[in-house]
Amino acid sequence: MTTEEPSTDGYLKIETVISKHPEARDVLDFAVVLRRYHYGNEVAGPSLAHLKGVIVQRGYLPNDGEDEDYFEIFDERSHHAAIGYRVLLEDRGLIAKALEEDADLDQLSSVAYLERLWVNPSLRGHDIALRLLHEAQHVISRDGLLVLMKAHPDEFDDGDNVKLASYYRSEKQLGLREISKQHAGWLVAAWQEPVVNEKDGAFLHLEVEEVAASDENG
């Protein structure tokens, strides 16, 4: 897992990359990534933290009828994503109730699935995960966007996903809502307008010596 020597020279920068899905024209892949740049070198180092996901710009959400095209977008990604599709399809009432303070579910016509959120273990405890979520909210928010994610820690013990979900929900700017107790860790939000937070600069200044590590699940 360790690939190179620890380093603290240079600066940490958050960047967002959005690209067309290679096989579906109404689907966008995106990633918000934290990397270290060394002074005098324009080539970034490996990912120190990242949030990866997909935006499905279908113009509608899956409904009671089976939608194979919609299902395939989620199923091709991961088992968790396939479960996310079933939640969207079968639990619209629960999602609508969770969002009722923020949006009318019937007015949401596209979905962003936040698939993978990872932070280098040596950098945890500095709210980097929330910072990446802030960046995604700023960049991908658009009219009619439903956001779906599952809080799923790498080192998983019973109840840990609920604790992690509570941590994400503690950041009120994100507007993340618990779908229901029966879907432990699953969260939804309506991100319909970009949010600019003056505290969210493009650079992070941490007096922490990160240890080289890679995301084994991403």
Side-chain angles (χ1 to χ4, degrees):
M1 183 173 67
T2 300
T3 57
E4 59 184 57
E5 292 299 316
S7 177
T8 56
D9 71 306
Y11 54 92
L12 299 173
K13 184 179 181 182
I14 293 175
E15 300 173 315
T16 301
V17 178
I18 299 178
S19 60
K20 295 180 181 178
H21 190 283
E23 298 179 358
R25 65 182 182 179
D26 56 355
V27 175
L28 299 173
D29 292 306
F30 70 89
V32 183
V33 186
L34 176 67
R35 298 184 188 276
R36 177 171 292 282
Y37 281 83
H38 297 283
Y39 295 119
N41 188 347
E42 296 182 358
V43 178
S47 171
L48 298 174
H50 51 245
L51 169 63
K52 297 179 179 180
V54 60
I55 303 171
V56 185
Q57 306 181 105
R58 281 293 163 97
Y60 64 94
L61 300 181
N63 53 39
D64 292 338
E66 287 289 342
D67 189 329
E68 287 298 325
D69 290 339
Y70 226 123
F71 172 72
E72 288 176 4
I73 292 169
F74 283 77
D75 186 55
E76 72 175 3
R77 304 188 75 85
S78 67
H79 176 64
H80 271 161
I83 294 174
Y85 172 81
R86 304 310 306 183
V87 171
L88 282 173
L89 182 69
E90 299 171 1
D91 294 293
R92 293 178 64 90
L94 294 175
I95 294 174
K97 184 176 181 180
L99 291 174
E100 61 186 359
E101 295 183 11
D102 305 317
D104 181 347
L105 181 61
D106 290 335
Q107 301 300 314
L108 304 183
S109 57
S110 58
V111 58
Y113 174 57
L114 310 186
E115 183 174 23
R116 176 67 179 160
L117 180 51
W118 174 83
V119 177
N120 182 308
S122 63
L123 296 181
R124 293 171 186 172
H126 297 276
D127 290 336
I128 292 175
L130 298 181
R131 178 65 187 86
L132 297 183
L133 287 166
H134 280 187
E135 193 74 8
Q137 185 183 31
H138 186 182
V139 174
I140 71 174
S141 291
R142 60 197 64 194
D143 187 48
L145 183 66
L146 172 71
V147 173
L148 175 70
M149 72 177 298
K150 182 175 184 181
H152 190 80
D154 290 339
E155 298 176 3
F156 183 82
D157 289 322
D158 187 38
D160 282 355
N161 57 338
V162 175
K163 294 177 183 177
L164 185 58
S166 295
Y167 169 62
Y168 295 156
R169 289 168 54 211
S170 70
E171 178 48 84
K172 301 305 181 184
Q173 174 186 310
L174 299 172
L176 292 165
R177 310 293 186 188
E178 181 183 48
I179 296 177
S180 73
K181 300 297 183 184
Q182 72 186 72
H183 296 301
W186 283 97
L187 302 170
V188 289
W191 286 359
Q192 300 198 78
E193 295 182 3
V195 178
V196 179
N197 189 320
E198 294 180 357
K199 297 179 181 180
D200 290 343
F203 304 94
L204 289 186
H205 303 283
L206 300 176
E207 296 182 1
V208 178
E209 182 174 324
E210 72 263 13
V211 176
S214 60
D215 180 5
E216 295 180 345
N217 297 309

